[in-house]
Each structure stands twice: as C-alpha cells, then as structure tokens.
Amino acid sequence: MAQKGILAFSGGLDTSVVVKYLQEEQDMDVITVTVDVGQGEDNKKIAAKAKKLGVKKHYNIDARKEFVTDYIFPSIKANALYQKKYCLATALARPLIAEKVLQIAKKEKVASLAHGCSGKGNDQVRFDITLRSGSDLPIVAPIRDKNLDRVTELKFADKHGIEIDTVAKKFSIDQNLWGRAIEGGVLEDPFAEPPDDAFIWVRTKDLLDKPTYLEIKFEKGSPVAVDGKKLEAIKLIEYINKKAGAAGVGIVDHIEDRVVGIKSREVYETPAATCLIEAHTDLEKMVHTKHQNKFKSLIDDEWSYLVYSGLWQDPLRQDLDGFIETSQRPVSGTVKLKLYKGSLRVIGRKSKNSLYSHEIATYGTESKFDQRLARGFVELWGMQSTEANKLQEKRSSKT
C-alpha cells in the first residue's frame, strides 16, 4: 500500500510538478491542501486541477480572516518592511499555510509532508521551520531535492499534460491579499525595466490627471475605516489595493538579500501595504515621544527580519509582539494621503492622543513657548561637543 503524503498546493507550476514527482518517484498517495489567503484564484478550478493530477483527496481552507487579523495587522503595527522596502506578504502567509497543512496532516495520518519550494528561495526556510515546529514527519521538497530548474519543470509539465497559464510561463508569481511577488524571466536582469504586463494590481500607464486622496482611520494601531467608511478588515485592504493601484502606487523594485545568501532582484505590487504602513508610521510619530519612536524602529526592524527569515515560530518574535502591542495604545487617529501618478505622501494627520501642541509650536503671537529658556539649554546640550573641539584645536596647535 502506498504511503500518504500531504502537499501545500497552489495549482501553479511548482506544486503541480511536485504532485507528479511524489506519485511517480515516491509512490505516494498525494493529499493536497490549498489555503486561501486572498490569492484571488478560483478554488474550484484549483480543486479540479488537483483531481486531474490524480490526488487522493483535496482540501480548500479559507484562512483570509485569520491571515488579516493574526498576521497582516500585527505587521502594520510593526511597520514591517524588510530592508525598508518589502512588506513581507509572502513571508507572512507561509507559516499560516504550513500550520493549516499540519492540521490536515494529523487528521489524515500522513507519512510525509511536502512543499514546492526551491533551494534558492526563502520559502523553504519558512515552510520547513513551521513544519518542523509542529511535526517530526519527514519533509519532501522535490524542486529542491532534485535541483530542478524552471526550464526542466516546464518540460516535465508539458510531458505530463500539466496545464500552465501564460503568465506562469513568463514569471514566477506568488499572490495574496497583502501583496503580489513577481520573479523570473526578464526580471532576472537587474537593469531591465519590468514590462507592463508583469503588473496586474498597479496601473503603469494612462494614469489619472487628478490626485487621489485616502483617509485612513486607526484604532490602537489597527486600520478600522477608510474614506469615512468603516469596513471589515478584508474589504478594507481590498478597497485600498484597488484605489491606490489605480493611482499607480505600490510597485516595489529592489535588490534583496535572501536568507540563503543570494542577492536577488525582487519586484512586488503592494498598494494597500504601502499606504497603510506609511500612514501608520506617520501616526506613530505624532503620538509617541521621540524616544519611543527611536527604540520602536529598532524593534520593527528586528520583527521584520525574523518574519522574513522564516522565524515566525521563534519566541523572540512573540516577545517583540508584546512590546509592539503595548506601544499601540495611543495609536488612534486619522491620516490623510495624497496619491498622484505613482507618488504617495502624507498630507495630514490628527489624533486625540497627539503630542503636537499648536500653542507651543506656533511662531505666532499666541505662542506659549518662552524662547529665552533655550539659550541655557543649547549651552548645556552642546557643552561636551564644544569642549572636545576646543581641546582638539589646542592639541593640533602644539604639533
């Protein structure tokens, strides 16, 4: 009797190829699991494709709400941008997908866990660590284990009659509610401009001649309303994705340091993430002291690094969550954004917890700031610096 293996299945090139490898070379009865984190795919088509590939059983799990509440919103509170650019869309989804696969694995009493990650990418780290944290079952990763390249995979797919869509033949795509990652093909030349057909969410031509405005309301660090409308979390992100994308906002193109040591050219579409993190960061500046903002930026960077590096399971990430959550108590208010032909900037913000005081900051006659106090402050503030410079000048004159 063939052993049962379970596979995180997207229906794309890699996981479709893996199904056949597991069946033919591992003699496995394959169970597939598709976890919906907002890919926008037709789950019935994915299930039909799994059946056509000969899997024994297919599961579809709707985890969109959990993805937003337990992964995306914490990342907003952490202003999470890996290397100041990447909003961690794929990185956030992988541990959730792996955990759902583990739940089905226990139910089905499988003998092996499988995924379609390569040995060059970060996803292998994210999947493996989560799977190993919750199971002692062996992990099978044919793309990595057999050192397969994309050309070989496409030939294998063609040989076995596996249907691959046109976009997947040109690029490697990963998509969820928080972002869309585009790799491969012409993008492997870091000097080549991405072609317009690489983008689906963000408009790259025929942009509006008038600016677009967004007003985002936060309560304790979480977005709760946009443009005056209270929206359920998933709808809120979808709304901003659509509106910001139409204004040409949300394309990220940068050189990224992968966990395995490779420098890679990464292209992302992240309209909602770009807007929400920019707005949240700005609001924090208004309600936190400069000391809080300085220290939290260090925490945010470490949180982003852990998540990107596949260490969602590490206790440190949970420890950082504790600090971040406490820091969000005063982060309530509204931020106004202006979007115009691909540009984005904050043009206004307000909060009942604002540390900005007009009576202190103003240069008008109503100012309550006594400028005379500043003279002594400046003298004391710069005392060590000025004394050090005087001493250095004395030493230089003696040589």
Side-chain angles (χ1 to χ4, degrees):
M1 180 184 289
Q3 288 188 327
K4 288 195 289 186
I6 193 164
L7 170 68
F9 184 73
S10 68
L13 173 63
D14 294 332
T15 54
S16 297
V17 166
V18 168
V19 169
K20 284 301 177 185
Y21 269 111
L22 294 176
Q23 292 169 337
E24 294 184 1
E25 299 197 7
Q26 300 285 337
D27 192 29
M28 282 188 187
D29 285 339
V30 182
I31 296 169
T32 49
V33 180
T34 298
V35 182
D36 187 354
V37 285
Q39 298 94 314
E41 300 283 354
D42 186 331
N43 293 322
K44 289 183 179 179
K45 284 185 178 179
I46 294 175
K49 187 169 188 178
K51 184 178 181 181
K52 188 175 180 179
L53 289 168
V55 305
K56 294 299 179 182
K57 193 179 289 188
H58 177 77
Y59 287 85
N60 182 71
I61 300 171
D62 187 349
R64 290 175 299 167
K65 188 173 181 179
E66 187 176 350
F67 182 44
V68 174
T69 304
D70 297 345
Y71 294 80
I72 292 178
F73 277 15
S75 79
I76 295 172
K77 294 175 181 179
N79 300 316
L81 293 172
Y82 177 64
Q83 296 186 325
K84 310 296 183 185
K85 287 282 189 177
Y86 172 41
C87 72
L88 304 172
T90 301
L92 287 165
R94 292 310 187 233
L96 174 58
I97 293 170
E99 285 174 7
K100 295 303 180 185
V101 169
L102 280 174
Q103 291 174 10
I104 304 300
K106 291 172 183 176
K107 176 183 176 181
E108 292 288 343
K109 298 178 180 178
V110 303
S112 298
L113 309 168
H115 60 68
C117 304
S118 76
K120 286 186 175 183
N122 301 306
D123 281 346
Q124 58 175 333
V125 182
R126 298 160 185 160
F127 270 111
D128 280 19
I129 291 176
T130 304
L131 294 174
R132 287 194 177 116
S133 294
S135 173
D136 293 322
L137 292 173
I139 297 171
V140 183
I143 307 298
R144 175 180 65 191
D145 300 343
K146 296 180 70 64
N147 197 28
L148 298 178
D149 58 69
R150 197 159 183 82
V151 174
T152 303
E153 286 186 66
L154 287 167
K155 288 180 179 177
F156 182 91
D158 185 59
K159 177 183 175 183
H160 287 79
I162 299 172
E163 295 179 9
I164 305 298
D165 65 42
T166 305
V167 175
K169 290 178 180 178
K170 295 179 66 175
F171 306 106
S172 176
I173 305 290
D174 185 80
Q175 179 174 309
N176 62 46
L177 190 64
W178 199 227
R180 185 170 181 266
I182 314 153
E183 294 180 324
V186 296
L187 301 181
E188 291 181 353
D189 176 358
F191 198 67
E193 181 180 357
D196 288 338
D197 64 358
F199 303 111
I200 293 176
W201 291 5
V202 179
R203 186 181 294 178
T204 57
K205 53 187 177 182
D206 301 324
L207 294 168
L208 299 174
D209 288 326
K210 293 183 179 180
T212 298
Y213 294 90
L214 271 173
E215 287 191 16
I216 303 171
K217 183 180 180 180
F218 293 87
E219 289 182 3
K220 294 183 178 180
S222 295
V224 295
V226 60
D227 293 340
K229 296 175 283 189
K230 266 206 165 187
L231 294 174
E232 180 269 329
I234 295 173
K235 295 294 183 184
L236 183 144
I237 292 173
E238 290 176 337
Y239 176 91
I240 299 176
N241 262 334
K242 186 174 181 179
K243 190 170 180 179
V249 169
I251 292 177
V252 175
D253 186 338
H254 78 129
I255 299 297
E256 191 170 287
D257 290 306
R258 290 184 180 176
V259 180
V260 294
I262 297 171
K263 279 194 181 290
S264 63
R265 193 267 187 93
E266 301 293 338
V267 179
Y268 302 105
E269 291 183 275
T270 60
T274 299
C275 293
L276 284 163
I277 292 174
E278 179 70 17
H280 180 268
T281 302
D282 188 87
L283 184 59
E284 281 192 333
K285 291 177 182 178
M286 183 176 235
V287 302
H288 283 164
T289 67
K290 66 178 181 181
H291 311 294
Q292 287 176 300
N293 282 319
K294 181 180 179 182
F295 185 73
K296 186 171 180 291
S297 69
L298 301 175
I299 300 298
D300 292 346
D301 283 346
E302 185 64 20
W303 194 94
S304 301
Y305 173 78
L306 289 172
V307 175
Y308 180 84
S309 302
L311 297 173
W312 179 267
Q313 305 296 333
D314 195 277
L316 177 58
R317 197 268 309 166
Q318 298 173 34
D319 295 340
L320 298 181
D321 276 344
F323 170 83
I324 291 169
E325 195 61 38
T326 299
S327 77
Q328 297 305 290
R329 290 171 184 168
V331 188
S332 297
T334 300
V335 178
K336 188 190 298 184
L337 302 174
K338 183 177 182 178
L339 297 74
Y340 183 63
K341 294 194 174 184
S343 70
L344 163 70
R345 62 187 174 97
V346 176
I347 59 167
R349 72 288 285 164
K350 61 182 178 179
S351 171
K352 62 182 180 182
N353 301 320
S354 172
L355 299 182
Y356 173 87
S357 169
H358 178 266
E359 290 181 334
I360 294 174
T362 182
Y363 286 91
T365 56
E366 67 271 30
S367 172
K368 291 186 176 181
F369 185 91
D370 188 343
Q371 298 180 58
R372 293 167 294 186
L373 297 174
R375 180 173 179 175
F377 162 76
V378 174
E379 185 174 341
L380 294 174
W381 175 256
M383 183 181 294
Q384 289 191 17
S385 299
T386 56
E387 290 302 313
N389 276 279
K390 289 174 183 178
L391 181 59
Q392 187 176 15
E393 195 173 316
K394 286 179 182 179
R395 286 172 179 167
S396 298
S397 64
K398 289 179 181 181
T399 57

